[in-house]
Amino acid sequence: LLRNDRRVVMYDKVYDVIQCIHEQLGHRRDSRNHKTTIDNFYYGVSEKLIKLFLNSCPLCQELRGTGKRLQLRKSGLLSPIANNAHDPSSGNRNKKRHCPLTSQSSSTHPSRTVLVSSSSSSRSKTTRQEDRVVEELLGRLTVEDPLLRLDGGASCIYLNDDTASTPIMTLERAMLPLSVDNFRRYCFRQKAVHVKKANNNNMMGDLISAMHNLNVLSILKHTSSSNIFVWIVQKQERRGESSAIQSLDVENPDHAYALYKHGGHALYCRAPPDVEQPLVASFLADTGLGCGQYDPSGRSTTCLGRGEVETFISPKNHVTEFHTDFQENFTFQLSGVKKWRLRQGSVKHPIRGCTPHYAETSESIETQLKTARLSNPNFSFDKPNPNNSFGKEEEVIMTAGDVLYFPAGMWHSVETLEEGISINISLMGMNYANLVTNALQHFLLSSGEDQWRETIAATTANNDCDALQNLHNLLTNSLPSVIRDFIHHVGAESILPPVVRYPPSFTPGNSNDDSDDASNGTASSTGNDSGEDVIVNVEHFTGPKGWNYEKPILDDDDCDGTRVVLAKNPLATLISQQGDLSMFNNSKTSSLRSPEMNNSKKRRYENSVNYILNINFAGNDLLESSVRVIFACHQKEHAVLFQNYVDMEKEGKDPASIHNEVNAPNPPSCLFFYGYFVWVTEGSYKVDI
């Protein structure tokens, strides 16, 4: 980060800067001289921090006649100490004196040395200063600029010592010195970010180790992909100077390795599962993409978030020409050197990529072209040009340790300058159009109007236009009222219940055997068709931290003719496992879909009465629920209450009416978290259609 040709000092580098200047100026210089000298080269070091540093130097204190001594320690705390090794009164006065703050013993643990003021406001002040500097730098980026360049240094990576409980890489570590909040606010889905962290073995060490220490054959044998893709570069006759890539699927890792080692072809495959799954889960949660939801099995069609980790094994001189992706991308250069060229694309939030670098068929080109023209009618399937891109073209040299984020839709080409391996965390998610139309289709099919479920057909022998007339009647007479009811009675809370908005915790290989005991709610997935049942103990459930299900209180200004009432989610339905499904099952737990459920867990539910909740399932051909969960009632009062809900649904009544009576208790909290009940504000919706 540069400001007015001076390097911006991030919080964890303040100590090093002041230390360097202090050694040059000596121990008797006052804070003003330090401040003046530092300001000639650096930006962001306050005089208050300089004074704090000088007051921590025993030699400076001795020369000033002060008795109180502070020492800066590796833990990052400033505290009074009695350290005879640096005590001028301990008989060491004739020895050569070094500043105790600059002669700390080296530690085998690569933790950062952080200067922390005794004032609690100092760090927040520095953070605010960093926010202002980053905002100013980003403010200088014009619409024409695609890239923010940052110097991450080599010491800004160990944020805590508890690495066992964190993924091998997080968004926070990857983007330093840019904070996660600033990245999400100013860069995510807007600008590319290149963080220069060359030779940063500390940060990349965990990734390299997880990637089998970059042993190519071992990576290929442990890939998540069913096949390995070998990229064969061909000369493209219609363009002459360009090279088209033909992708060859190879099932045998040894054969793919031979094509790379002896044929000089680049390889592409997904990372091993123990690398891919925690990385995708972590980055989805950190970016908020897809509300952090993730199904590692890849079978769910309703999960809001998806992703994979791509592995690129590239020989020297391999070139991938300009193309765009529809995913959000985080690239980590593990070894070798690559040259990237970046230019902004004209399609924001693309549905499909644009891949002129491949030897494409006319069908795939047509698909990409018509999809891009939904956003940009003048889009052309070609290299970056005024019809499909805009702004400057930037060049980035990626060396080992570097990180590059680039948003979906950004044009990029890659040339391998030195043979190496890189991985790319590729994230995607459901868009709002799909989310709303899926819910609207469910609502139309359950609206009580049979015409919406009627199969489209002509009713006369000569195929007259009765189908057209029927559609016209539905659009003009039925759809407007359905849309009003959809906005009023369904609303955003019913489509995105809390369980979807709070990312579940992720553990590789977790079989959800104890999901019913996850009382904080964050360990439960949305329960779609990923193969595992989510079972919630009604009596023991509590929601995640920060979640509140209490009845909202309206402001006085909003109370005119409105009130907050409880309502059943129109997209939700309850089924009694022992009642509705009993005739098809031989035992109470036989409908549980977890074949690997252990016996102790089965015994726990043999004595419970279970109810299955499904939400928003009629909007896709597979009838897959966006939320599916089994509620286990161990107490009779809860079993009776849930059965009342089921019976009232069958009678066409709203189960929420039980709780809208005066002094009636709220339903169990799990029914709010998983979206069966929602609070709605009556009288506040005025929709003109």
Side-chain angles (χ1 to χ4, degrees):
L1 288 173
L2 296 177
R3 180 171 180 175
N4 298 333
D5 296 325
R6 293 182 294 162
R7 184 176 295 278
V8 176
V9 182
M10 295 305 169
Y11 197 79
D12 55 350
K13 303 295 290 183
V14 171
Y15 167 83
D16 297 326
V17 170
I18 302 177
Q19 166 189 314
C20 179
I21 300 299
H22 185 58
E23 284 292 304
Q24 295 178 32
L25 296 181
H27 295 286
R28 295 213 212 186
R29 299 283 183 171
D30 60 20
S31 59
R32 290 186 180 179
N33 288 336
H34 282 71
K35 176 67 172 170
T36 301
T37 305
I38 290 175
D39 284 348
N40 288 332
F41 305 98
Y42 300 97
Y43 177 87
V45 181
S46 68
E47 188 171 353
K48 183 176 181 180
L49 292 177
I50 295 173
K51 289 180 179 179
L52 187 62
F53 183 96
L54 297 179
N55 290 336
S56 305
C57 176
L59 293 180
C60 290
Q61 293 172 15
E62 179 192 8
L63 293 172
R64 291 198 205 102
T66 26
K68 185 178 181 180
R69 294 187 300 280
L70 298 172
Q71 183 182 9
L72 184 65
R73 299 186 297 182
K74 283 281 184 180
S75 61
L77 301 176
L78 279 171
S79 58
I81 65 163
N83 189 343
N84 291 333
H86 301 300
D87 190 345
S89 63
S90 63
N92 295 327
R93 298 192 181 201
N94 295 328
K95 295 184 180 180
K96 184 178 180 180
R97 294 175 182 172
H98 299 281
C99 175
L101 302 182
T102 63
S103 59
Q104 300 181 45
S105 59
S106 60
S107 172
T108 56
H109 192 285
S111 60
R112 296 184 301 161
T113 301
V114 182
L115 183 63
V116 179
S117 169
S118 57
S119 169
S120 60
S121 64
S122 177
R123 184 172 180 84
S124 61
K125 180 179 179 181
T126 305
T127 302
R128 290 194 300 270
Q129 184 183 55
E130 176 191 340
D131 292 345
R132 289 194 298 269
V133 171
V134 171
E135 186 173 357
E136 180 178 335
L137 289 172
L138 287 163
R140 293 180 183 178
L141 292 178
T142 66
V143 176
E144 304 290 315
D145 298 316
L147 178 69
L148 173 67
R149 300 178 188 269
L150 299 173
D151 183 359
S155 61
C156 306
I157 53 157
Y158 279 88
L159 303 179
N160 60 64
D161 295 336
D162 187 16
T163 57
S165 61
T166 58
I168 53 180
M169 179 58 64
T170 63
L171 180 62
E172 183 178 22
R173 292 176 67 186
M175 288 292 106
L176 275 172
L178 188 65
S179 69
V180 172
D181 288 342
N182 282 331
F183 170 75
R184 291 177 60 173
R185 185 181 300 118
Y186 301 117
C187 302
F188 188 51
R189 297 192 285 193
Q190 301 173 63
K191 299 289 186 181
V193 180
H194 176 215
V195 185
K196 192 69 178 175
K197 297 182 178 181
N199 299 319
N200 196 340
N201 295 325
N202 286 332
M203 187 179 76
M204 292 298 178
D206 294 337
L207 276 177
I208 291 173
S209 176
M211 290 295 293
H212 299 263
N213 293 313
L214 307 187
N215 183 298
V216 174
L217 185 57
S218 183
I219 292 173
L220 299 179
K221 289 183 176 180
H222 292 87
T223 177
S224 301
S225 308
S226 56
N227 290 333
I228 300 158
F229 300 93
V230 181
W231 285 347
I232 310 296
V233 179
Q234 298 177 329
K235 201 70 174 178
Q236 206 169 52
E237 294 181 359
R238 65 185 179 91
R239 291 192 176 92
E241 79 284 1
S242 302
S243 297
I245 292 178
Q246 182 179 6
S247 182
L248 178 66
D249 293 5
V250 177
E251 185 176 353
N252 189 308
D254 294 308
H255 295 168
Y257 180 74
L259 288 169
Y260 161 73
K261 192 68 176 177
H262 305 295
H265 300 294
L267 304 179
Y268 162 83
C269 64
R270 287 165 57 190
D274 57 346
V275 175
E276 179 177 82
Q277 294 178 10
L279 283 179
V280 172
S282 172
F283 275 69
L284 283 174
D286 290 344
T287 60
L289 202 66
C291 292
Q293 296 295 324
Y294 173 51
D295 169 33
S297 73
R299 293 193 292 268
S300 171
T301 61
T302 62
C303 188
L304 298 185
R306 305 187 304 278
E308 60 185 25
V309 176
E310 304 160 314
T311 304
F312 298 94
I313 304 169
S314 308
K316 185 177 180 179
N317 297 326
H318 175 80
V319 177
T320 303
E321 292 290 352
F322 272 110
H323 63 284
T324 69
D325 303 325
F326 64 93
Q327 304 94 338
E328 305 295 327
N329 298 278
F330 297 84
T331 294
F332 298 83
Q333 192 69 35
L334 303 183
S335 66
V337 180
K338 288 185 176 180
K339 180 174 73 174
W340 288 65
R341 289 186 293 161
L342 303 170
R343 190 175 181 184
Q344 296 176 97
S346 61
V347 177
K348 191 172 184 180
H349 309 305
I351 301 174
R352 289 290 182 269
C354 182
T355 55
H357 67 307
Y358 273 128
E360 298 282 15
T361 62
S362 59
E363 291 81 8
S364 62
I365 295 175
E366 179 184 345
T367 299
Q368 295 181 23
L369 194 57
K370 68 182 182 182
T371 306
R373 287 182 176 176
L374 290 172
S375 173
N376 175 15
N378 199 33
F379 189 90
S380 61
F381 186 87
D382 204 343
K383 287 184 175 182
N385 61 66
N387 293 329
N388 59 24
S389 64
F390 66 95
K392 303 174 184 177
E393 181 180 309
E394 291 280 356
E395 183 178 292
V396 171
I397 302 298
M398 291 277 287
T399 57
D402 285 9
V403 181
L404 175 66
Y405 161 75
F406 60 99
M410 179 167 282
W411 288 94
H412 56 284
S413 71
V414 187
E415 178 183 356
T416 304
L417 303 181
E418 294 181 13
E419 179 181 9
I421 297 176
S422 63
I423 63 171
N424 182 67
I425 302 175
S426 177
L427 307 179
M428 64 206 89
M430 183 182 294
N431 59 41
Y432 285 103
N434 283 336
L435 180 69
V436 172
T437 53
N438 287 348
L440 180 59
Q441 179 174 323
H442 181 110
F443 191 67
L444 286 170
L445 295 174
S446 62
S447 64
E449 298 188 34
D450 295 339
Q451 299 96 317
W452 289 107
R453 292 189 297 274
E454 180 182 340
T455 304
I456 302 168
T459 57
T460 59
N462 60 353
N463 291 331
D464 205 352
C465 295
D466 297 274
L468 183 63
Q469 184 61 47
N470 288 339
L471 178 59
H472 177 76
N473 292 336
L474 285 171
L475 293 177
T476 56
N477 301 329
S478 175
L479 187 60
S481 62
V482 170
I483 294 295
R484 291 191 192 96
D485 291 341
F486 180 74
I487 297 173
H488 187 177
H489 297 297
V490 179
E493 186 77 18
S494 296
I495 300 174
L496 284 178
V499 66
V500 178
R501 305 196 305 270
Y502 284 82
S505 61
F506 175 79
T507 303
N510 182 19
S511 63
N512 271 341
D513 279 349
D514 297 318
S515 61
D516 56 301
D517 296 324
S519 60
N520 64 1
T522 59
S524 300
S525 71
T526 53
N528 45 44
D529 290 342
S530 59
E532 291 288 348
D533 281 315
V534 175
I535 307 174
V536 173
N537 188 319
V538 175
E539 289 78 17
H540 295 160
F541 176 85
T542 57
K545 184 178 180 181
W547 173 67
N548 179 29
Y549 68 96
E550 297 297 330
K551 182 178 180 179
I553 300 176
L554 293 177
D555 295 334
D556 293 338
D557 296 337
D558 298 331
C559 291
D560 185 20
T562 63
R563 64 179 186 135
V564 176
V565 297
L566 190 69
K568 171 190 164 290
N569 184 347
L571 306 179
T573 185
L574 266 182
I575 296 174
S576 171
Q577 189 175 353
Q578 282 87 351
D580 296 322
L581 303 180
S582 60
M583 67 182 69
F584 305 105
N585 296 287
N586 297 324
S587 67
K588 294 182 179 180
T589 59
S590 60
S591 69
L592 298 181
R593 299 182 304 167
S594 303
E596 298 180 357
M597 181 186 293
N598 57 43
N599 292 330
S600 63
K601 186 173 182 180
K602 286 184 179 180
R603 285 194 296 270
R604 267 182 279 169
Y605 293 99
E606 287 176 353
N607 298 321
S608 66
V609 182
N610 303 329
Y611 293 86
I612 305 172
L613 171 65
N614 287 279
I615 294 179
N616 194 8
F617 53 86
N620 60 89
D621 292 338
L622 298 178
L623 297 179
E624 180 185 335
S625 302
S626 63
V627 175
R628 183 185 184 274
V629 61
I630 298 176
F631 295 116
C633 302
H634 293 84
Q635 296 179 5
K636 183 177 179 180
E637 60 179 294
H638 284 132
V640 172
L641 183 62
F642 274 68
Q643 188 59 48
N644 285 339
Y645 297 154
V646 172
D647 294 340
M648 293 184 74
E649 280 193 45
K650 292 178 180 179
E651 297 171 4
K653 300 178 181 178
D654 188 353
S657 60
I658 299 175
H659 304 281
N660 283 325
E661 298 176 0
V662 179
N663 297 326
N666 283 337
S669 61
C670 58
L671 292 175
F672 287 96
F673 185 73
Y674 285 95
Y676 185 68
F677 285 126
V678 294
W679 295 109
V680 298
T681 305
E682 288 190 339
S684 63
Y685 293 90
K686 297 180 181 179
V687 182
D688 296 327
I689 298 179

